Amino acid sequence: MSEQRSTLKKLTQYEQTPLLIALLAICAFLSFKSDVFLSVDNIMNVLRQSSIELIAALGMTMALLAGQVDLSIGSLLAVVGIVTVSIYNMSGSVFLAVVAAIIVGVAVGLINGALVTKTKINALIATLGMMAVLRGIGYLSTNARAVQTEGDTLKLIGTGYVGPIPIPVIIAVVVLVAFYYILNHTTFGRYVYAAGGNEKAALSSGLPVSKIQIWVFIICAVTAAISGLITTGRLNSFQPTIGVGFELNVIAAVILGGTRLTGGEGTISGTVLGVLILGVLSNGLVLLDVNSFWQEVVRGGVIILAVIIDEYRKRAQQKQLQASVKDKKQEHVQPIEEESTTKANIS
Amino acid sequence: MAELSPVLEMKNISKQFFGFYALKNVDFNLYPGEVHSLLGENGAGKSTLIKIMAGVNSLEQGEYLVDGKKVEVKNPRGAQELGVNVVFQELNLVPSLSVAENIFFGRLPKKALGRVNWNKLYQDTEVLLEEVGLEINPRTRVGLLGVAQQQLVEIAKALSHESKVIAMDEPTSALSYKEIERLFLLIEKLKKKGVGIIYVSHKFDELFRITDRITILRDGEKVGEVKTKETDSEELISYMVGRQLSNLYPKMDVTPGDVAFQVKGLTSDKVKDINFYVRKGEIIGFSGLMGAGRTELARAIFGLDQTHEGQIIIEGKEVPRNSAKIAVQRGIGYIPEDRKEEGLVLSASVRENMTISVLKNFVEGGRINKKKEFDCTQGAIEDLRIKTQSSEQKIVSLSGGNQQKVILARWLIKEDLKVLILDEPTRGIDVGSKSEIYRLISELASKGIAVLMMSSEMPELLSMCDRIYVMKEGELAGELSQNEATQEKIMSKAIGGI
């Protein structure tokens, strides 16, 4: 067992090493170039910003692992925003606002999941449609005007601290731990990997694949709702354009973290690194006073580069694999000979 | 034949992959009008040899002669120009193009101004389709065809070239009885025309029927060459595995108990009013032509395909239909026909593939007890002698036989398994592993599990099953006990009206 655990550990470490090196290299470079970069304030700032993306990225990781994708999360941010602000302004209760945000997340996830599993529409298309619908609802609700919150408790979710640590970071860590646990230690997590790795095989193993997929969409949308809640708190208002392009940034971070679009392969640790790399990168570009349009270009370039590297690594692995298969074939003959002596026991 | 000279000769061929010999000093020759089989377990080097002939793999050491002249084949096109055509096991067709376009891919007949002469194309294609016995419109998109039909299109494609040599790599693996007969007639015809045929197959009955010579490879070396008339299957097997394999079908004698499993009036879109029963410890076979509904029946029972009517009863208790999850809960296991497509999560490890159906058993306090899971996997790896470096090895790196054992283990470790449905349990598996899988199935039955075996391989049905149901067009067309069942009787029921 201990042996198994250590080899597993080595493997994950090996897989994440390039990303970790990249992150450290970017940090090292930025700490040379900018005096501010390593200041506590800036680090907290990066972490808080990354937290918002990380929470949604965790949900997205699960969706991609299950072989699905959810493009509607950016627009969901807007709907969550208006719902949260309205409820808060009406009731003055942060608790009610949070509950409402979660309910919106569950509802949207349920609709996405039902669309994909019941009508068999491709997830990309179904959630692309949902993305437009939700964005439209966001604009319609206020005629595209911003709405200010009336009170200062909601903004604590986005800007408050516990000790030196920003509240969003704490929320992100809690969600992170929950995801790690679900994906690595529960049957549901393993079903997610199996359903995404090969849906037909999952079916022929007797897994309730549709149910799993619906849950994945719900979980993904709820994480996005939490991100939306934090964003709204940070802005202390509803902005109809919040979350435009958010889904692409989140998917990019997840892919950068090594999760495959084809499903079944990916890790939580990879996603954390993916989010941090993109977070540090945009922070660095701001600190270095790079034109904000260039930031987009750099971000896109990094993602393409990451996928290319990943593709090469995959090919190298396959070569290794082929070699090991050949080796095994060589020793194929003699083991059959024990047939008469050892009688197999089936338990 | 002795006075002729070989149309194709391979002398002293060696080929290395990653420093390991895939072929070592192999000689092979083929005379015009001869059917020469390459036989060997998976990984013995058959495919590598054929790929060298076809110009897919490069020739590193040795000589390759066509019509007595040394040739250098750099790519498949080069081989085709020499008249050497190969029908590969993996299909190489473009699904979005028509049958005709696939057959004449890259050499469509032209009219003036480079326009395609569609009429001629379709006419030529029709002639070829007629020859392989495929009754479809040449305009049909290949993607709409079944595997068997695609296989026949591949053969038609080989025929469309002026061939001196046609190599076929397991051409019948997807074909039904009727289509195989058609193929054999075609092979006879090609023989008469003086075409040399290389025929790779695991099916001994086919080898004895149509081949003239058999060359046996083992671990990349040629271990024997025999005239088909002068050999028997025992000799061939001993060449293949390097020892005498006492019994390919280790069927145990089990006295069947009470009825364990019953299906009454089961009807889906694909199967109609199916009624049968299985006693405890019985192995029941389902035979029938391609498309007779064997796979569809398996899927309907397991709840993967929607059923409209009928009852599924385990030990007197009815099982709700149309849910694989409930089927598993009530003790039904299912091993699908296509291992890679429907059975395995290729990106996952041996352990993850094995335990997926019984994962709940390892849960303690909301989390999976990984030690328990690991021990269970390890036990099954040892019991079934699955050849893998460890339980954490990715399943893709295992051989077909060992992958199949992992899927078997998936259900063997289920303690309350009562019924196991196997669809083509030994497809594409080498003889050694085949025998082991039969032994496992036999042991399962002896433990009182009701076994259903859907298979297109007559010998395995006849040797392994206590009773055989024959299917025809989605219905049960007859039932035969082991004593009365013969290949002919099954066929006559499968075709019907005889």
Side-chain angles (χ1 to χ4, degrees):
Chain A
M1 181 60 192
S2 63
E3 198 187 334
Q4 175 211 12
R5 196 171 257 168
S6 72
T7 49
L8 265 177
K9 215 170 183 178
K10 263 183 222 158
L11 202 79
T12 47
Q13 271 172 352
Y14 168 68
E15 273 180 25
Q16 285 348 328
T17 311
L19 282 178
L20 201 59
I21 291 172
L23 180 62
L24 292 177
I26 297 169
C27 289
F29 175 78
L30 288 174
S31 59
F32 272 114
K33 283 281 179 184
S34 158
D35 302 333
V36 195
F37 180 71
L38 280 182
S39 70
V40 176
D41 271 357
N42 188 56
I43 289 174
M44 285 305 157
N45 184 30
V46 171
L47 287 180
R48 182 167 45 212
Q49 183 53 44
S50 299
S51 296
I52 295 174
E53 292 196 352
L54 178 61
I55 294 166
L58 291 168
M60 190 62 78
T61 304
M62 191 182 270
L64 290 187
L65 284 176
Q68 308 297 331
V69 69
D70 186 351
L71 294 179
S72 69
I73 61 166
S75 303
L76 180 60
L77 250 55
V79 174
V80 165
I82 184 63
V83 170
T84 314
V85 171
S86 310
I87 300 271
Y88 178 70
N89 284 353
M90 273 190 282
S91 66
S93 159
V94 175
F95 176 74
L96 279 184
V98 170
V99 171
I102 303 291
I103 289 174
V104 170
V106 171
V108 170
L110 194 61
I111 296 171
N112 281 336
L115 278 176
V116 170
T117 57
K118 303 294 175 213
T119 67
K120 309 280 171 206
I121 307 175
N122 181 295
L124 202 70
I125 307 300
T127 59
L128 185 69
M130 187 55 89
M131 168 178 164
V133 170
L134 294 179
R135 180 60 66 193
I137 291 175
Y139 287 136
L140 281 171
S141 60
T142 63
N143 247 333
R145 278 191 298 266
V147 179
Q148 205 58 38
T149 50
E150 296 156 10
D152 351 290
T153 39
L154 188 64
K155 75 171 181 199
L156 284 179
I157 294 180
T159 56
Y161 286 85
V162 173
I165 302 167
I167 288 177
V169 176
I170 294 171
I171 298 175
V173 169
V174 171
V175 177
L176 177 66
V177 171
F179 266 79
Y180 179 81
Y181 185 82
I182 292 172
L183 284 177
N184 292 291
H185 293 290
T186 68
T187 54
F188 180 76
R190 293 275 293 278
Y191 291 169
V192 167
Y193 275 97
N198 185 348
E199 187 177 332
K200 284 181 183 166
L203 282 168
S204 76
S205 309
L207 303 192
V209 175
S210 295
K211 214 164 115 189
I212 295 164
Q213 283 167 348
I214 290 176
W215 271 111
V216 164
F217 276 107
I218 292 176
I219 291 170
C220 181
V222 167
T223 57
I226 297 172
S227 293
L229 205 57
I230 297 171
T231 312
T232 307
R234 246 185 111 192
L235 300 169
N236 204 19
S237 64
F238 163 68
Q239 304 288 341
T241 54
I242 70 163
V244 172
F246 180 71
E247 65 285 330
L248 294 182
N249 288 343
V250 166
I251 292 171
V254 176
I255 298 290
L256 181 60
T259 298
R260 297 200 163 272
L261 270 172
T262 44
E265 287 177 87
T267 57
I268 289 295
S269 51
T271 295
V272 172
L273 287 171
V275 169
L276 284 178
I277 287 176
L278 289 187
V280 169
L281 208 60
S282 16
N283 174 260
L285 293 171
V286 172
L287 290 182
L288 298 182
D289 235 355
V290 176
N291 178 325
S292 68
F293 299 129
W294 273 111
Q295 294 179 26
E296 297 281 319
V297 176
V298 171
R299 192 193 287 266
V302 166
I303 290 154
I304 293 171
L305 193 70
V307 175
I308 291 172
I309 292 170
D310 196 44
E311 199 53 43
Y312 273 103
R313 247 169 55 192
K314 196 175 150 198
R315 266 181 231 169
Q317 270 175 6
Q318 265 168 356
K319 268 193 184 162
Q320 266 181 352
L321 210 67
Q322 277 175 346
S324 74
V325 173
K326 297 276 176 198
D327 285 345
K328 224 171 298 142
K329 276 176 182 160
Q330 227 172 353
E331 58 195 51
H332 188 75
V333 177
Q334 87 256 39
I336 314 172
E337 289 174 19
E338 325 148 7
E339 188 154 44
S340 50
T341 48
T342 19
K343 192 100 172 95
N345 293 309
I346 312 160
S347 50
Chain B
M1 226 172 279
E3 71 274 12
L4 291 166
S5 55
V7 57
L8 180 145
E9 270 181 288
M10 312 282 285
K11 284 186 185 160
N12 231 346
I13 303 284
S14 294
K15 172 91 189 170
Q16 283 184 307
F17 287 115
F18 310 106
F20 152 67
Y21 278 101
L23 288 174
K24 207 168 173 185
N25 305 326
V26 171
D27 290 323
F28 179 86
N29 60 33
L30 178 73
Y31 289 91
E34 181 195 31
V35 181
H36 191 163
S37 176
L38 277 172
L39 184 64
E41 296 196 290
N42 291 342
K46 295 166 296 183
S47 297
T48 312
L49 189 60
I50 288 186
K51 281 183 180 159
I52 291 175
M53 288 177 204
V56 176
N57 284 347
S58 62
L59 178 65
E60 282 160 8
Q61 290 170 45
E63 286 182 15
Y64 183 178
L65 296 91
V66 173
D67 285 335
K69 268 174 266 160
K70 215 176 143 183
V71 293
E72 233 183 286
V73 177
K74 292 214 172 85
N75 51 40
R77 190 140 201 160
Q80 280 164 5
E81 278 160 11
L82 289 166
V84 178
N85 282 291
V86 179
V87 180
F88 284 106
Q89 204 178 347
E90 316 86 54
L91 301 165
N92 290 314
L93 301 170
V94 185
S96 57
L97 294 182
S98 73
V99 169
E101 286 167 295
N102 265 290
I103 290 178
F104 290 96
F105 194 81
R107 18 176 215 128
L108 299 173
K110 295 274 169 60
K111 287 196 289 195
L113 299 172
R115 287 172 302 153
V116 174
N117 187 343
W118 293 105
N119 284 336
K120 182 170 170 12
L121 174 67
Y122 291 133
Q123 275 162 16
D124 290 354
T125 306
E126 254 164 40
V127 173
L128 289 167
L129 292 180
E130 167 92 39
E131 241 181 308
V132 297
L134 196 54
E135 287 156 8
I136 51 169
N137 191 321
R139 295 168 184 81
T140 318
R141 273 197 297 130
V142 162
L144 298 174
L145 302 179
V147 183
Q149 291 173 315
Q150 293 195 19
Q151 186 89 55
L152 293 172
V153 172
E154 281 276 13
I155 293 169
K157 191 171 162 184
L159 293 181
S160 72
H161 296 269
E162 274 305 311
S163 296
K164 288 178 192 149
V165 174
I166 297 182
M168 303 182 183
D169 195 356
E170 300 215 33
T172 59
S173 58
L175 300 188
S176 74
Y177 180 79
K178 253 205 270 183
E179 289 157 339
I180 291 172
E181 290 301 313
R182 204 66 185 248
L183 177 66
F184 286 176
L185 281 179
L186 183 69
I187 289 175
E188 288 296 330
K189 225 159 97 188
L190 290 169
K191 273 179 80 166
K192 288 211 183 87
K193 275 165 66 182
V195 177
I197 292 171
I198 301 165
Y199 190 86
V200 178
S201 174
H202 280 135
K203 298 182 186 169
F204 283 2
D205 50 339
E206 294 178 0
L207 298 186
F208 286 115
R209 249 189 83 181
I210 59 156
T211 66
D212 301 304
R213 265 195 302 163
I214 300 173
T215 288
I216 304 104
L217 299 178
R218 187 171 74 224
D219 295 331
E221 289 182 70
K222 178 168 170 179
V223 291
E225 183 189 311
V226 291
K227 289 211 168 78
T228 310
K229 278 188 205 136
E230 295 163 5
T231 187
D232 56 26
S233 48
E234 258 171 53
E235 188 187 20
L236 291 179
I237 291 175
S238 69
Y239 271 127
M240 285 167 74
V241 299
R243 68 183 189 95
Q244 217 79 31
L245 195 68
S246 54
N247 187 358
L248 177 58
Y249 304 104
K251 165 103 172 107
M252 292 179 202
D253 274 328
V254 179
T255 323
D258 302 334
V259 171
F261 183 61
Q262 247 179 311
V263 168
K264 287 183 186 167
L266 194 69
T267 301
S268 72
D269 289 343
K270 302 276 177 58
V271 296
K272 215 160 65 197
D273 193 26
I274 303 288
N275 292 286
F276 70 90
Y277 66 93
V278 190
R279 293 198 202 90
K280 266 195 174 169
E282 256 189 331
I283 303 177
I284 296 298
F286 286 85
S287 186
L289 304 177
M290 194 90 184
R294 282 169 301 176
T295 298
E296 289 75 11
L297 175 60
R299 291 177 60 86
I301 297 171
F302 192 66
L304 290 175
D305 283 353
Q306 192 77 18
T307 52
H308 311 306
E309 258 180 88
Q311 285 178 297
I312 297 164
I313 302 161
I314 297 178
E315 290 171 358
K317 268 183 254 156
E318 192 172 342
V319 181
R321 291 179 282 122
N322 300 334
S323 163
K325 192 186 164 195
I326 293 175
V328 171
Q329 277 170 2
R330 297 297 184 89
I332 305 180
Y334 168 58
I335 296 181
E337 168 182 34
D338 191 329
R339 232 179 353 263
K340 288 189 176 152
E341 277 290 311
E342 296 166 39
L344 297 169
V345 183
L346 290 174
S347 54
S349 67
V350 169
R351 171 178 54 83
E352 287 163 327
N353 270 290
M354 197 187 288
T355 57
I356 189 73
S357 296
V358 293
L359 216 45
K360 286 229 159 73
N361 296 354
F362 305 119
V363 173
E364 279 170 9
R367 60 185 284 166
I368 299 165
N369 182 332
K370 293 214 168 150
K371 173 156 172 42
K372 254 174 118 179
E373 187 195 359
F374 181 73
D375 289 346
C376 173
T377 314
Q378 206 54 44
I381 288 174
E382 282 160 25
D383 284 346
L384 273 64
R385 273 177 279 130
I386 298 169
K387 275 170 227 113
T388 173
Q389 278 167 14
S390 78
S391 62
E392 303 313 307
Q393 180 102 5
K394 287 258 159 91
I395 193 113
V396 267
S397 63
L398 269 60
S399 72
N402 283 300
Q403 289 178 347
Q404 189 73 335
K405 284 196 212 166
V406 172
I407 304 190
L408 259 170
R410 180 185 289 168
W411 301 112
L412 296 186
I413 59 177
K414 186 174 160 53
E415 277 151 20
D416 57 350
L417 184 73
K418 298 197 178 83
V419 180
L420 184 62
I421 309 169
L422 303 124
D423 195 358
E424 302 287 356
T426 61
R427 174 171 286 176
I429 289 173
D430 56 75
V431 182
S433 307
K434 243 183 182 173
S435 170
E436 282 193 78
I437 284 172
Y438 292 138
R439 186 174 46 76
L440 288 168
I441 294 173
S442 210
E443 282 187 13
L444 267 176
S446 73
K447 290 200 158 74
I449 288 164
V451 178
L452 281 65
M453 197 158 119
M454 325 319 219
S455 173
S456 56
E457 279 190 48
M458 291 280 189
E460 82 180 11
L461 285 176
L462 291 169
S463 314
M464 292 296 295
C465 298
D466 298 290
R467 281 182 296 131
I468 297 170
Y469 288 100
V470 184
M471 295 191 72
K472 187 191 159 209
E473 290 164 12
E475 293 181 68
L476 288 189
E479 178 190 344
L480 294 160
S481 71
Q482 186 170 34
N483 296 333
E484 56 183 346
T486 61
Q487 202 141 334
E488 290 74 24
K489 279 186 190 164
I490 293 177
M491 254 11 275
S492 77
K493 282 191 191 301
I495 296 165
I498 303 173

